[in-house]
Amino acid sequence: VLSATEAVGRWYILDFNFKAADTNPVSLFGLYDDNYRKVDGEWKIERANLHFLWPAREADGLGWPSHLK
């Protein structure tokens, strides 16, 4: 908590795909770095940033990882 109306948080994401033919079921590992703001007494996500740590992903012009198109 940074102030009465601002906070930050970090969340880890580990995504598995057991239907893929690959032997490694991990499809991605990353971090969310979030900023929160309290509005009218409720905490809201103001900004969420997803950082892919493994494997490296390329994004298209819309910001979507290429495997999610």
Side-chain angles (χ1 to χ4, degrees):
V1 176
L2 302 174
S3 71
T5 59
E6 295 177 293
V8 295
R10 174 169 276 185
W11 304 91
Y12 295 88
I13 180 171
L14 183 57
D15 190 28
F16 294 96
N17 183 357
F18 293 104
K19 294 181 181 180
D22 298 336
T23 57
N24 184 353
V26 177
S27 61
L28 71 88
F29 173 64
L31 294 170
Y32 279 104
D33 284 318
D34 296 339
N35 295 61
Y36 304 94
R37 184 168 301 277
K38 200 172 198 179
V39 178
D40 297 326
E42 294 184 14
W43 286 101
K44 307 284 184 176
I45 297 173
E46 181 176 55
R47 182 176 183 175
N49 293 302
L50 176 56
H51 308 280
F52 290 101
L53 301 177
W54 184 90
R57 303 284 183 168
E58 298 296 324
D60 66 16
L62 299 174
W64 285 97
S66 58
H67 74 287
L68 295 178
K69 289 184 193 177

